[in-house]
Amino acid sequence: MSFQRRITLASAAAVAIAVALASATTYVLVRNRIHHHINQSLTTLAGGFAAAAQGLENPSTANASTYANLLRRFPVRAGDTTNVAQLVTAGGATVTALRGQSLQLAQPASATITELAKAGGGRFAFDATAHGQPFRVLAEGVAPGFAIIVTHSLAEADSTLGELRLILLILTIAGVLLAALLGWFVARTTLAPVRGLTATVRHITETQDLGERIAEDRRDELGSLARSFNSMLGVLEDTMHKLDESARVQRRLVADASHELRTPVTSIRTNIEILEQVDGMPADEREKIVRDVVVQLEELSELINDLIELARADEHVDSREEIRLDVLVAEAIERARLYSPRARFDVALDETVVTGVPSRLGRAVNNLLDNAVKHAGTDQPIEVRLHDGELEIRDHGPGIDAEELPHIFDRFFRGNRSRALPGSGLGLAIVRQVAELHSGSVSIDAAEGGGTVVRMRVPMTV
């Protein structure tokens, strides 16, 4: 069953219950009110006769004839069964009746009325049927040995109540039908945004178009749902774009890596084949080829390590910790001195605390120092400065051509002056990746007076 149909049925059921309760309450109140008026009228009539009987000169010695004459003078509509009046003696006999009418009552009621006549006081009211009509009967003791019976026909009241029941039934049915119609209309109007949301989801599922959005012009819960759904679509769209970009970068990395690996692998294979095929090769030539193979294997290992570093992307991003960046840079400088004894460094490091992955930041700093050592020359030292979370490394080498600067951080890019030097062209690409991973940045510029200056910025820990 659809949600709209359930709302319609629930609305109709709720209104049906409410209208039925209202109708039943109305009927009970009207019926009680009518019966109250009838009882009040009968009580007034019987009380008037009792007061007249008490007004006699000697009511205790008055006989049946006296009370019968008094009854005939009493203002009761003769011949009208609406106000039948008669006297009953203590023996249960009817003394007189208007125009010969007599009300025949059941034995329990007759016995009670006889007791009232004996006592000469008290009152008893009940419903009875006589002459084929329903009556409301009131019996009251008026004097010792006598009781008066007055009645009121309930035919008119029952007819009125019957008409009221029919009217209330019609109103109840009409109210339920109207409630069902209004419930259907309200449900259809209220669920229109939900249908729009469903259509949008179906459209996105069929077309894979994450740019689709739902109107957010409502200020109710459905509007909030639409805004939440649009936010979810935005996050999903951004995630899909990042995944597509990551896949594109990975494909490009694989393509570039396969291209870069082809040359050293081919060279190593060629040298090994030469070593296998030439038996009478002089020892010095064989030793030279072996040295070339070792160097090429080292370059290949370095290239593979760089590729692995790039492929790690944001691996270990959750293992960040507070790092003394100045200590890390100092250790990297000592390493550079160990591998390049001729390199000279001019160092000024401020105490700097950052949050990051030590191994990744250390690799980036090592790459920057290795790159500076390769291009530094021998005349002047490499200047290393660390201040306010910015690491600045300047060399006094030949510098970088202006047209090469926009591509210097691209993977496998090597400038004209760098192609004769060892390296894979991935060092600065790794530096940029590490800086961005730590919400930082890196830039390279031509330095005044020659050489280049590289600046890597990492947010400091507050």
Side-chain angles (χ1 to χ4, degrees), residues 168-189:
L168 292 177
L169 178 62
I170 294 174
L171 289 177
T172 301
I173 295 174
V176 171
L177 294 177
L178 180 60
L181 179 62
L182 293 178
W184 173 85
F185 176 76
V186 171
R188 182 175 180 81
T189 303

Side-chain angles (χ1 to χ4, degrees), residues 382-458:
I382 299 170
E383 300 173 7
V384 182
R385 305 286 184 266
L386 178 60
H387 180 68
D388 287 340
E390 180 178 272
L391 174 64
E392 179 180 293
I393 301 176
R394 185 211 169 150
D395 64 65
H396 295 270
I400 302 173
D401 295 338
E403 63 271 11
E404 295 178 351
L405 284 176
H407 309 286
I408 199 67
F409 292 103
D410 292 346
R411 295 170 179 173
F412 302 106
F413 178 81
R414 306 185 71 184
N416 294 328
R417 298 185 180 91
S418 303
R419 291 174 183 172
L421 300 174
S424 62
L426 294 176
L428 292 180
I430 293 174
V431 172
R432 181 176 65 178
Q433 177 179 284
V434 172
E436 292 176 350
L437 177 64
H438 290 78
S439 302
S441 62
V442 63
S443 63
I444 187 167
D445 300 290
E448 293 183 5
T452 57
V453 56
V454 181
R455 298 180 179 88
M456 184 176 74
R457 287 167 289 277
V458 180

Side-chain angles (χ1 to χ4, degrees), residues 49-64 66-67 70 117 120 142-146:
F49 181 82
Q54 293 299 322
L56 295 176
E57 292 182 1
N58 192 359
S60 58
T61 59
N63 54 23
T66 302
Y67 287 111
L70 181 62
V142 295
F146 297 95

Side-chain angles (χ1 to χ4, degrees), residues 331-350:
E331 293 174 351
I333 292 174
E334 292 301 319
R335 171 189 171 277
R337 284 172 175 162
L338 178 65
Y339 284 95
S340 303
R342 295 183 179 181
R344 293 184 300 145
F345 295 92
D346 180 7
V347 181
L349 306 177
D350 293 344

Side-chain angles (χ1 to χ4, degrees), residues 252-270 296-308 411-412 414 423-426:
R252 180 183 172 186
L253 175 62
V254 171
D256 292 343
S258 62
H259 175 75
E260 294 294 328
L261 287 171
R262 188 178 296 114
T263 299
V265 169
T266 302
S267 178
I268 293 172
R269 180 178 179 180
T270 300
Q296 289 166 352
L297 286 174
E298 291 177 351
E299 292 179 353
L300 182 60
S301 297
E302 182 180 354
L303 175 59
I304 292 174
N305 289 334
D306 288 343
L307 288 173
I308 293 174
R411 295 170 179 173
F412 302 106
R414 306 185 71 184
S424 62
L426 294 176

